Amino acid sequence: EFSLGIALACGTGAVGETKNVVQKDAEFDVTYNDTVTSENQTIYAFNHTVSRNKTEGVHVSVDVLSQGLESPILFVVRQKQAVLSFQVPLILRGLYQRKYPYNHVGRTLCQPPTRAASETQYFFVDVSTLSSQGTNYQLRVSRVESFTLQTDKKFTFTASPSQPQYFKYVFPDGVDTVIVKVNSDMNFPCSVMSIQDIQCPVYDLDNNVAFIGMYQTMTKKGAITVQRKDFPSNSFYVVVVVKTEDEACGGPLRFYPLRPDELIDAGNRTKILDVMVSPAIDSKVYVMGMLFCLGIFFSFYLLTFLVACMENKRSVIAKKNEKLQPLRTSTAPSVSPPQFPFHLNLYCRVDFNRLPSSAADNGSTLSSEAITDSATSTDNNYGYMERSLDSVGRSRQESLSSVEEDDYDTLDDINSDKNIVRTKKFLCVSDLARKDKRVLSKKYQIYFWNIATIAVFYALPVIQLVITYQTVVNVTGNQDICYYNFLCAHPLGALSAFNNILSNLGYVMLGLLFLLIVLKRDIVHNRALVRNDLNALECGIPKHFGLFYAMGTALMMEGLLSACYHVCPNYTNFQFDTSFMYMIAGLCMLKLYQKRHPDINASAYTAYACLAAVIFFSVLGVVFGKGNTVFWIVFSVIHILATLLLSTQLYYMGRWRFGKITTCIRQCSGPMYIDRMVLLVMGNIVNWSLCLRPHREAERLRLLPVGHRHLQPLICFSVQLRSGERIQCLALVCILFTAVVWGFALYFFFQGLSTWQKTPAESREHNRDCILLSFFDDHDIWHFLSSIAMFGSFLVLLTMDDDLDTVQRDKIYVF
């Protein structure tokens, strides 16, 4: 122990004021108790041997024993290539400038790199203060055991806001990517894990940990995938910092009086954690994942090709049989429900274009006797049973060839005719397929062109925005911006979670395949019309493919936008993932209704305007609905009222007025259209049940389109079973296959690996490891299965009425 006798100017800069500096040779693992004042400064000199092939951490621990200090003690650690300084008590700031003092501080020194095989390095700990009173302190410097993390070996440690911890990891040979996992049994205190390059200083305090590298907040789980290419030294630091407050992790923020310079006791904020570094997947797994994804969906192309070949072969054989037996007459099966009264077929056989004007005056209250008399009179013998199929085709083409849809809808006599036809108790397809087919085809083609236009204008800014998101994440290193499943997030290039993006390929490929299937059917149908095939002209459900084209396009866009959303999923871009879900659900419902109601289906402009309103409320729910009970009450009321309004429109086939409804309520003892009423009640129950799920905003927003997609097949089956119709083998296979796939898909949908409704730290508590090929997680499997299930649902809508292609439209029952 000796005095240098050097006079130094004090930190206040006062001229003539001197300070005694004392330097001591110090040793590791020895506790030094000493006193410091403004008149003396103590320097502790340490030396240790640094090896190029071995890294040892050095930990400096300081305790201040005095209370009510005038000024804090300043500790400065001078190393070969770095300087670390901190004061005790250490003051850390929280929200609203709250100040939390910590009298016990522990810091780890970074080791400067050395080129020599072995080198002795010196470092000094300077202790000083501006307080005139003597301040007692304890100083201890020790080596850190297990400072270098080993692959696949868990290491447990303790951290606090004033005692952060960090460790070094070196990439082993042959490993290019690792995943760093930090876990704790304690939710709080909130903590931050960071990955930083090997350089000094190391940013290991709450107020500077976000300055460099990659970082994320955590409660119980944290995981970051690290690639060798991002660290030229082939090594990095794993830094764990405990935050001064829990608000960033969704914890409570205690109330304190906001007084200037008031120090707040933070309490015990020590947290026990463990860290483990494991090798991530290599390039072979990436290739296997991509081949697996492509193989699954290309198999659907192969299966479709085989089915098309079988159907083509069957049609060729059928044509040969027809040529061999030209005189054989085929009778088309009659599909009429035996459980309904016999006069149902009489209703369907009436030609309402020939009804007298007196019948039209009765409007929707036209009695069955009046219709029967009209149909059996000698002047109005126009039932389909008395007319040949050939004459029906010619008369329909001649009478409707010059009719335009707008003119048809605005004529007063036609409106009267609509009231007569559409308000009958029992309807047939022929009653609701009276408009010119060419006009309707153009009307439904607008659906495709509109959605194609929407897709272009929607997708371009979305792609630009997600590229910006990913750039921000890569530049700032803030992984709280995106809500991934960090335990199974495989980066590729600039993309942080390539697996979540790749799994959306199924939507695009299957959407394209569905468009090809629809195109093939469209071509076959047009050829049948060109050769005046009477089955195509007057039998079966009217063929309009515009909505099918729109559905296929929407499925492809769902894949593209879902991939964009998963580039950086969060609450601000959640609508990217859901917008075309609503579009698909709406188009499916429109197509289901349009099949047997082609004359009264909504126009493309009206339909897309309604879908835009739905998406608008979805965005409002994302932005303002989190925990907002008033918003969800208003949303639920609007949802229920809109559902009731739509149900009324469907119940009266668009021919209703408010006065008629009130009259019916006063006069009718029960519903006139029982079957239609049952289906609508079922639909309303499903919709209303979705409004009774409080505090699950995102789940409710996704369940709306998913629930409607599941309700549609139920309606299809009800219509077909109630009408006594048969289901062809291909359609039955599609139905059963789709139902099974939807069941598995929903199971994986509800796993919930992340959620933007909570903080990023809370969301990571739901993260899980990969379960398929070490590459795909539960949500990726949801992407696979849901794309297949939606493709199957489209095929169900496309093939469900194939058994009616030889049945006259006046014998096909409609609810």
Side-chain angles (χ1 to χ4, degrees), residues 157 164-167 182 192-196 202-205 209 214 237-241:
F157 61 95
Q165 301 282 358
Y166 67 86
F167 309 93
V182 178
V192 178
M193 67 172 297
S194 172
I195 304 297
Q196 301 180 20
V202 176
Y203 296 93
D204 59 350
L205 290 178
V209 69
M214 299 179 289
Y237 285 136
V238 179
V239 184
V240 179
V241 178

Side-chain angles (χ1 to χ4, degrees), residues 348 396 428-431 433 437 525 535-543 807-813:
C348 299
R396 288 288 299 274
C428 294
V429 171
S430 58
D431 298 322
K437 182 184 183 302
H525 179 66
N535 283 339
L537 291 170
E538 290 296 329
C539 293
I541 302 298
K543 302 291 192 300
V807 180
Q808 295 182 23
R809 292 173 186 168
D810 63 321
K811 299 178 182 177
I812 302 175
Y813 179 65

Side-chain angles (χ1 to χ4, degrees), residues 714-773:
L714 179 62
I715 296 175
C716 298
F717 301 152
S718 302
V719 173
Q720 291 184 316
L721 294 176
R722 190 78 168 97
S723 305
E725 299 173 6
R726 298 188 304 272
I727 301 177
Q728 287 190 348
C729 180
L730 179 61
L732 184 61
V733 170
C734 291
I735 292 170
L736 296 177
F737 172 77
T738 302
V740 172
V741 175
W742 266 124
F744 284 104
L746 290 177
Y747 169 79
F748 288 100
F749 172 76
F750 287 110
Q751 294 305 302
L753 302 182
S754 62
T755 172
W756 51 261
Q757 295 176 269
K758 300 179 180 179
T759 63
E762 292 174 306
S763 175
R764 291 187 187 97
E765 295 179 12
H766 303 282
N767 289 176
R768 298 181 190 174
D769 293 321
C770 306
I771 63 172
L772 180 62
L773 300 176

Side-chain angles (χ1 to χ4, degrees), residues 199-241:
Q199 62 181 11
C200 296
V202 176
Y203 296 93
D204 59 350
L205 290 178
D206 185 20
N207 56 6
N208 62 19
V209 69
F211 286 177
I212 192 172
M214 299 179 289
Y215 65 93
Q216 58 181 223
T217 56
M218 60 165 286
T219 52
K220 288 185 174 182
K221 291 182 181 181
I224 297 180
T225 301
V226 186
Q227 301 182 81
R228 182 195 290 263
K229 67 179 182 63
D230 297 328
F231 296 93
S233 63
N234 295 328
S235 58
F236 57 87
Y237 285 136
V238 179
V239 184
V240 179
V241 178

Side-chain angles (χ1 to χ4, degrees), residues 617-733:
F617 281 104
S618 173
V619 174
L620 290 182
V622 171
V623 177
F624 303 108
K626 185 177 181 180
N628 192 337
T629 305
V630 175
F631 173 85
W632 286 108
I633 291 175
V634 174
F635 172 82
S636 299
V637 170
I638 295 176
H639 183 199
I640 292 173
L641 292 178
T643 304
L644 288 174
L645 181 63
L646 178 61
S647 300
T648 305
Q649 182 79 1
L650 297 178
Y651 182 76
Y652 288 101
M653 294 291 181
R655 313 305 298 171
W656 67 279
R657 297 293 183 271
F658 184 76
K660 291 183 178 181
I661 296 178
T662 55
T663 302
C664 182
I665 293 175
R666 291 194 302 266
Q667 296 180 357
C668 299
S669 58
M672 180 177 180
Y673 315 108
I674 298 178
D675 301 299
R676 202 181 305 165
M677 175 64 74
V678 170
L679 290 177
L680 292 174
V681 168
M682 292 171 56
N684 278 272
I685 291 175
V686 171
N687 276 277
W688 296 354
S689 64
L690 296 177
C691 295
L692 302 178
R693 301 180 65 85
H695 310 300
R696 295 189 179 183
E697 294 87 355
E699 183 178 321
R700 188 189 310 182
L701 294 174
R702 291 196 186 197
L703 280 178
L704 282 173
V706 173
H708 281 100
R709 283 201 295 267
H710 284 78
L711 183 63
Q712 293 154 14
L714 179 62
I715 296 175
C716 298
F717 301 152
S718 302
V719 173
Q720 291 184 316
L721 294 176
R722 190 78 168 97
S723 305
E725 299 173 6
R726 298 188 304 272
I727 301 177
Q728 287 190 348
C729 180
L730 179 61
L732 184 61
V733 170

Side-chain angles (χ1 to χ4, degrees), residues 105-125:
V105 179
R107 304 295 297 276
T108 302
L109 307 183
C110 66
Q111 176 180 311
T114 179
R115 296 182 179 180
S118 180
E119 178 184 349
T120 300
Q121 292 187 357
Y122 294 87
F123 67 92
F124 305 90
V125 180

Side-chain angles (χ1 to χ4, degrees), residues 20 93 145 258 261 294 299 303 328 334 347 469 472 509-510 519 567 591 631 754 756:
N20 295 323
R93 293 181 181 271
E145 297 180 1
L258 300 180
D261 300 326
L294 291 172
S299 64
L303 182 61
R328 188 180 68 177
S334 175
Y347 286 145
Y469 267 120
V472 171
M509 294 184 64
L510 294 182
L519 178 62
V567 168
K591 185 59 192 178
F631 173 85
S754 62
W756 51 261

